Amino acid sequence: MSALRPLLLLLLPLCPGPGPGPGSEAKVTRSCAETRQVLGARGYSLNLIPPALISGEHLQICPQEYTCCSSETEQKLIRDTEATFRGLVEDSGSFLVHTLAARHRKFNEFFREMLSISQHSLVQLFSHSYGRLYAQHALIFNGFFSRLRDYYEKSGEGLDDTLADFWAQLLERAFPLLHPQYSFPPDFLLCLTRLTSTTDGSLQPFGDSPRRLRLQITRALVAARAFVQGLETGRSVVSETLKGSMSEGCRKALMRLTGCPLCRGVPSLMPCRGFCLNVAHACLSSRGLEPDWGSYLDGLLLLAEKLQGPFSFELAAESIGVRISEGLMHLQENSVKVSAKVFQECGTPHPVLARSRRAPAPREEASRPWRAAADEERPTTAAGTNLHRLVWELRERLGRLRGFWTGLPLTICEDSRMAADASQEAAPCWTGLGRGRYTKPVVGGSLTEQLHNPELEGDTTGPDVPTRRRRLHLRAATARMRAAALGQDLDMRDADEDGSGSGGGQQYADDWKAGAVPVAPPARPPRPPRPPRRDGPGGKGGGGNTRYNQGRSRSLGTSVGRHTPPILILFPSALALLGPR
């Protein structure tokens, strides 16, 4: 045996040793040439990267073994890996921001243009019917449309007040024109306004037109405003979420995932797919918007269907001129009854001693029918679109957005910079410690599952304050849209403590076009009277320059009893309502 010992000592170096363990690939190469080449192409100073492996005791995140990274290089890699991940998140979600922004722009332009078309149609109708007399009182109608736009664009005062003020101004101008033989002082007009504001509805000078116009305009404008605000809120929330900051635990996990292979001298060794998914879930689980995101998309689709159905913005905008014309004709046809009631309550005004009047000249335009858009004709804006088409496009695009946040980690890990390709799962990959197979469990994205995420080091506090704030904004937008789908304006209800603002918690039936029986809203205490508002100098026959807007009943019916007639005939006798030309 002693004779064989020298021979065994000679043969021992030729015997194969144990297989390479974790980290042995760096000990075999002992070179940082590949790392220097990759980082040099990224703009790193080669003076900070040693040509060969050095001791890694100075490292803070990567394994403290042989390394190609100095302390400065490791810190720079931490920042770069975070920037790469943030860029991937923003690029993956850019189509969300673009989709919501584009839908907001298209719907907003459509609603604004429909209001402009409605105003233009009214101007044409009334100019042809009343000529110069309409021009003398055009400020009333222009102011009405201006306040409708203010409500839609700037969340101004409630629609109830806007509509009540308009009808009060119209009555103050129209009633004196029915009786040119009298002079109407401001006190009389104040009495007239108060009389029309009584809750018993004993005097309805414009018939049912104010209620029907209020029903259509209120529901359509409340829904349209909540809808475009919801799109804008969603775009803003998504944009902020995609640019949100990373937690310290996420930064360390990202460095271990994509930065440490460079420090170990094996930049070509891609991270294992399961390793990437755990890191992505760790970074995104507390920043995503689920489950509020799905509810938000459902709210958008619900309200969009209402806007092209029972709360049709197109029909509501078209009905403005129709309803006002119907109200004026009702006042003219029932002038004797209305005047008797007014004179009984407010007294008889002083007669005018002499006043020259010319009978209105017959107009050929008076007998021309004014044709409203039929149901099968969908109005098209200057942009060449209509609401039906916009809603169809919205439904198609929102389908792509659903499930985005839950699928974002998988999308991130499909990038070649973040993980090995799924077809190469059997090949060795970077495990966080070295070359091998990732054997740790891959967890899901819920906060409960993150408690067991092997790559999340003690960072399980849940969403941070900015993320919670963004989720609250998304929930608020969803609640506003769902309320608008029920005919409620949450903004006005919150602003008015007694709940009597525009919408004010009222709910409307969906079959207003089918002639359903009105559904009365719940009783509420009346609003206190508001102080009189001053208007500009009155037009011809205005009888004064003061208009009064006292507290008016909000307890109006909640459905329209009949369709907008396809043909509205302006009788020649209706021309006498606003007096001579």
Side-chain angles (χ1 to χ4, degrees), residues 173-505:
R173 302 294 179 89
F175 189 81
L177 295 178
L178 290 174
H179 305 280
Q181 70 275 23
Y182 293 117
S183 174
F184 296 92
D187 291 343
F188 186 94
L189 296 179
L190 174 61
C191 177
L192 175 65
T193 303
R194 287 176 175 172
L195 189 60
T196 57
S197 303
T198 55
T199 58
D200 58 4
S202 58
L203 181 67
Q204 294 184 345
F206 298 106
D208 198 38
S209 295
R211 182 190 67 83
R212 299 173 67 187
L213 179 61
R214 172 186 175 274
L215 174 65
Q216 290 177 272
I217 289 295
T218 297
R219 297 193 308 182
L221 274 179
V222 167
R225 190 183 68 166
F227 185 77
V228 295
Q229 287 179 347
L231 287 171
E232 173 59 24
T233 299
R235 184 207 62 79
S236 176
V237 167
V238 169
S239 180
E240 292 179 7
T241 302
L242 294 175
K243 298 177 182 179
S245 60
M246 302 290 178
S247 65
E248 186 62 27
C250 172
R251 294 189 187 95
K252 293 180 179 180
L254 289 173
M255 179 60 186
R256 290 195 302 270
L257 179 70
T258 59
C260 290
L262 289 164
C263 291
R264 293 301 300 272
V266 286
S268 59
L269 184 62
M270 298 304 300
C272 299
R273 191 173 183 82
F275 184 20
C276 177
L277 288 174
N278 277 341
V279 172
H281 281 304
C283 292
L284 298 174
S285 62
S286 61
R287 294 179 52 201
L289 299 176
E290 292 290 356
D292 303 308
W293 180 247
S295 300
Y296 165 76
L297 297 180
D298 292 337
L300 279 176
L301 291 175
L302 173 64
L303 194 52
E305 295 295 338
K306 291 283 187 177
L307 280 169
Q308 71 167 352
F311 293 1
S312 173
F313 193 89
E314 291 172 324
L315 294 180
E318 295 165 8
S319 71
I320 295 177
V322 178
R323 297 290 172 248
I324 296 175
S325 297
E326 291 176 345
L328 290 174
M329 285 194 295
H330 183 277
L331 176 62
Q332 192 272 337
E333 294 169 357
N334 296 272
S335 60
V336 175
K337 177 182 176 181
V338 172
S339 299
K341 179 68 174 178
V342 171
F343 291 154
Q344 178 183 357
E345 297 292 336
C346 301
T348 303
H350 299 291
V352 177
L353 296 180
R355 182 173 180 177
S356 60
R357 299 181 71 246
R358 293 185 303 164
R363 294 175 54 100
E364 182 182 355
E365 293 86 348
S367 59
R368 294 181 181 178
W370 181 77
R371 184 173 179 269
D375 289 343
E376 62 273 10
E377 295 180 358
R378 299 187 179 275
T380 302
T381 64
T385 186
N386 56 48
L387 190 57
H388 177 76
R389 188 181 307 163
L390 287 176
V391 172
W392 181 87
E393 292 175 352
L394 176 77
R395 188 186 303 110
E396 190 271 336
R397 284 164 173 77
L398 291 189
R400 307 174 188 174
L401 309 186
R402 196 174 297 275
F404 168 79
W405 300 104
T406 56
L408 184 56
L410 186 61
T411 303
I412 295 296
C413 291
E414 288 176 351
D415 189 273
S416 59
R417 293 169 291 178
M418 300 300 296
D421 190 82
S423 61
Q424 301 177 356
E425 288 186 2
C429 51
W430 174 256
T431 65
L433 297 175
R435 184 190 303 268
R437 300 285 298 275
Y438 190 75
T439 58
K440 298 178 182 179
V442 179
V443 301
S446 68
L447 293 178
T448 302
E449 292 174 297
Q450 291 310 298
L451 296 175
H452 308 286
N453 192 330
E455 306 301 335
L456 193 60
E457 297 181 352
D459 193 3
T460 57
T461 57
D464 55 11
V465 173
T467 300
R468 291 171 182 164
R469 175 179 54 81
R470 289 190 287 266
R471 291 182 180 179
L472 286 176
H473 287 172
L474 203 63
R475 293 172 192 169
T478 303
R480 189 180 297 109
M481 290 188 293
R482 290 191 175 277
L486 298 175
Q488 303 175 6
D489 187 351
L490 289 187
D491 291 339
M492 293 307 300
R493 187 171 65 178
D494 293 340
D496 199 345
E497 292 182 357
D498 64 0
S500 58
S502 174

Side-chain angles (χ1 to χ4, degrees), residues 532-577:
R533 298 180 54 174
R534 294 289 180 181
D535 196 6
K540 182 179 180 180
N545 63 348
T546 306
R547 57 185 173 91
Y548 301 89
N549 177 29
Q550 303 300 321
R552 295 177 175 86
S553 170
R554 305 299 191 253
S555 300
L556 300 179
T558 57
S559 69
V560 175
R562 56 187 174 92
H563 263 298
T564 299
I567 303 296
L568 175 63
I569 304 296
L570 294 180
F571 299 100
S573 59
L575 297 179
L577 172 63

Side-chain angles (χ1 to χ4, degrees), residues 135-156:
Q136 294 174 348
H137 300 276
L139 288 178
I140 298 177
F141 302 92
N142 294 339
F144 174 58
F145 278 96
S146 177
R147 292 176 69 180
L148 290 181
R149 291 190 183 91
D150 286 344
Y151 173 82
Y152 169 74
E153 298 173 2
K154 306 174 184 178
S155 301

